Amino acid sequence: MAHAHSVKRHTGLMDWLTTVDHKKIAILYLLAGGLFFGFGGVEALLIRLQLIKPMNDLVSAQTFNELITMHGTTMIFLGVMPVIFALMNAVIPLQIGARDVAFPFVNALGFWTFLFGGILLNLSWIMGGAPDAGWTAYTPLSTSTYSTTHGVDFYTVGLQIAGLGTLIGGINFLATIITMRAPGMSFMRMPMFTWTSFITSAMILFAFPAITVGLVLLSFDRILGANFFEVSNGGNPVLWQHIFWIFGHPEVYILILPAFGVISEVIPTFARKRLFGYSSMVFATILIAFLGFMVWAHHMFTTGLGPIANALFSIATMLIAVPTGIKIFNWLFTMWGGQIRFTSANLFAIGFVPTFVMGGVTGVMLASAPADYQFHDTYFVVAHFHYVIVGGLVFGLFAGLHYWWPKMFGRVLNETIGKWTFWFFAIGFHLTFFVQHFLGLMGMQRRIFTYLPNQDFDTLNLVSTVGAFLMAVGVLLFLFNCFMTAAKPKGVANDPWEDGRTLEWAIPSPPPEYNFKQIPLVRGLDAYWKEKMAGNKEMTPAEPLGSIHMPSPTILPFVMSVGIFIAGLGLMFSSEKFNNSFMSMIFNNWIVVIIGLVITFGSMLLRSLFDDHGWHIEPEELEEEGVKA
Amino acid sequence: MTSAHAESVNGSLPHEPEKATLEGRNKVLGFWLFLGGESVLFGTLFATFLALRNQTNDGPTAHELFSLPTTAAATLILLVSSLTSVFAVQAMHRHKAAALRLWLIITVILGLGFLGLEVYEFHEYVTAEKFGMTTSAFSSAFYTLVGFHGAHVAFGVCWIGILIGQLYKKGLTVVTAPKVYVSAMYWHFIDVVWVFIFSVVYLLGKVG
Ligand code: HEM
Ligand SMILES: [Cu+2]
């Protein structure tokens, strides 16, 4: 075909800025997520150092507030979300037997908007102070009356931009899983990780627009002088709590469901058994997502919604324990009687189960409204959500990274270091957060920058800080492992764990640009395992060898995100008093905002006007590569 | 995907050109999903408005402010524009490119008419009634909800306008057809949102 090779292929940095390949976008998400995770981790260590002893003055109260706000916000929105997206990008198209995602361009756009939103948020540290109203940014604390720096503006605008990226990423994965599955891969033959990512994407779609609106309202109050949360002019601060948690509670399930998926892949592989109760797993996932939208007010038991509302939300919350329990038992029964191999990935997966159960138990305790009057805003809550987020999600992410690393990079992570990572991280984790349950029960509030001696808080806080540093050692070991492995030569087998069950293990590691030379025919759940059991070495192709159509690389997603970034900065400083007249001119007349929007919408226009015909990989080239491999 | 080029080249369009290629089908599905998210967005804005609609803070109330004839006219214009965009898609299915462009042009003109009325309305409120964004919680909620909708209409007008240009240049192909179809979906969606605004904001404000 005439235009087959007319497309420009970039190399080096340009390749990464213009890529629309889901495998490369996965690596970008991993790098960016890892970077923000590092920021959040340093913030956590500073928090713990401040609390190591009573009446400590390592950081000021104001800095402490900024640290806890940025730690929570960064970890949730910029740390774990992108690592989840990294795994989804790296694995889902392979698991469903697809050559790409449904919208490669949108996929790249999602990454770049997320990144620039995250950068904007973190610029606050060097541009006049970080947000300080907690990651929940409760009004009226976060309104301009009480939060007078630009910190909260960085929060609203930065999260708005990053949230946009997450939203379009969610839409992309929904469409991909609905339309791009290989022949024979019915919904009930989809691997569990694909299922949970599918449900997570659906939750993103219905939860993120709520926070979009919430952030718009808060920024209108702060920047345009609107009155949504301004009591003196008729506003209502509780409205923010509702909007935030209508998003916020689904968000915590958005985070944990992909981890459930990872665990459901890793445990069967290393137990050499199919997942116990596959259909009940699917059903439980859907039920959790559904219930997850009905329980937001359990964060507001002490706000004063009244006994009826509290009772209903209390019961609804406790109901979630049922589908979650189903999952726990399914994992246990999968391991039961299996030939378990304790690889690093599996250590994290097995470690996940009891840790997550502990977080679930405290969750049910918190769901009891009368008891929550005692627990609320104490370290008991901090212990709870770290058990589910770190002991649950982060364990799951480590399991997934160790498991799919060879597929993503063509090299297996060092198993010995992997195991050390696990033990440092797991022991450090329990040291840090187990004692916080008791600190909370004894009355230590969260979000306080210091405490008086001799309230029985001293020793437990010291233990907690020591634990945090052990976790940090675990993370550093993991980083060291990544660099060390990167220095090793590539070249692992298609199926390095030898017991891979799903389609991604049927193709080379890392996969070629087009993933599957021929789209495979799926003949059952655990498609690859099924072929192995039938004595086949490879998947049966569902199509003859033919020319493969690929989307062209493009810089537009990057440029669009730069535009949004500029517009966001312009909006934040639109009513700022500058000493410099040029700055006042361009900011106060909204010129910066307009420039940013012109860049973004202009790129959108270019995208619409010039069709992307893509390019083709011809069968001859495929054959050549086959010979090389 | 390869068939996409084949069809646009030899010019034999299928009955529903928007669904002829995988890209086209993906676009339509993705857009349905996007509208799902948009529904939550407007749902949250409506909830906010309902929570704050009586918080007028000594400023004008809904009852004093709204004039139903103007908004009824705006409603009529927007509803008719939805009908004309249906005609556009029907013309597309019959492969009548000229009729398609004509109906789209009428749709855009009606959309502009709606926007004109809205700008006029807002202008009146701000100047004559002293009812601005900062007046009360009610005013903030009103301008945000109705303004978000207005911004959607403005975006739609630009978008469909650009598509008309593309139809002149590129003609009706399996690449342009999904764009037209999706923009029509968008247009119906903002129309439905307006029906809710008309009832919840204006009618309820007048009688409730
Ligand atoms: C090295 C591991 C970690 C340590 C040592 C750590 C420590 C802490 C500490 C000391 C607080 C402050 C509690 C307070 O006084 O309010 C906190 C809050 C928080 N953490 Fe972590 N954390 C870690 C990892 C994570 C991760 C991975 C996440 C999320 C994915 C996370 C999410 C949060 C959230 C949401 C808050 C609440 C912030 C606030 O209320 O302002 N943490 N953490
Ligand atoms: Cu919750």
Side-chain angles (χ1 to χ4, degrees), chain A residues 103 179 225 227 234 608-609, chain B residues 26 55 134 140 144 166 170 179:
Chain A
F103 308 113
T179 64
N227 301 308
S608 175
L609 292 185
Chain B
N26 278 349
Q55 307 296 321
T134 56
S140 306
T144 306
Q166 292 194 25
K170 302 177 188 168
K179 298 187 185 181

Side-chain angles (χ1 to χ4, degrees), chain A residues 242-446:
Chain A
H242 278 294
I243 295 179
F244 185 87
W245 289 115
I246 283 175
F247 149 78
H249 188 81
E251 165 70 9
V252 306
Y253 281 95
I254 290 170
L255 297 178
I256 201 65
L257 286 183
F260 286 172
V262 173
I263 306 302
S264 306
E265 301 287 330
V266 174
I267 286 186
T269 302
F270 294 114
R272 303 192 94 230
K273 269 180 73 190
R274 78 176 257 184
L275 182 66
F276 186 92
Y278 171 83
S279 345
S280 70
M281 280 298 210
V282 172
F283 172 75
T285 310
I286 296 173
L287 197 62
I288 290 174
F290 179 74
L291 290 174
F293 278 97
M294 322 266 173
V295 297
W296 76 90
H298 64 212
H299 296 275
M300 302 164 63
F301 283 146
T302 60
T303 305
L305 302 178
I308 309 238
N310 277 5
L312 288 176
F313 278 102
S314 190
I315 293 167
T317 306
M318 291 179 187
L319 276 181
I320 297 197
V322 177
T324 314
I326 294 178
K327 286 188 170 269
I328 301 286
F329 282 109
N330 281 339
W331 290 317
L332 294 179
F333 290 142
T334 306
M335 286 188 269
W336 188 271
Q339 303 165 23
I340 302 180
R341 277 159 64 198
F342 293 94
T343 56
S344 330
N346 205 24
L347 280 179
F348 274 107
I350 295 173
F352 167 98
V353 178
T355 322
F356 187 76
V357 168
M358 288 176 71
V361 168
T362 51
V364 178
M365 291 169 74
L366 291 163
S368 164
D372 185 61
Y373 272 76
Q374 185 65 32
F375 303 142
H376 184 62
D377 267 351
T378 69
Y379 263 84
F380 191 79
V381 176
V382 176
H384 155 71
F385 66 65
H386 282 91
Y387 262 80
V388 284
I389 294 184
V390 184
L393 172 62
V394 177
F395 273 39
L397 292 177
F398 272 123
L401 287 173
H402 282 89
Y403 182 58
W404 280 305
W405 201 269
K407 191 51 67 182
M408 290 176 77
F409 297 100
R411 303 168 176 95
V412 188
L413 284 173
N414 182 303
E415 274 294 307
T416 315
I417 306 182
K419 285 172 190 157
W420 280 103
T421 308
F422 170 76
W423 288 112
F424 267 102
F425 197 79
I427 294 173
F429 165 76
H430 284 284
L431 272 185
T432 313
F433 295 108
F434 189 68
V435 294
Q436 293 189 0
H437 291 110
F438 302 101
L439 280 172
L441 292 176
M442 292 188 307
M444 179 165 166
Q445 306 104 298
R446 65 188 286 208

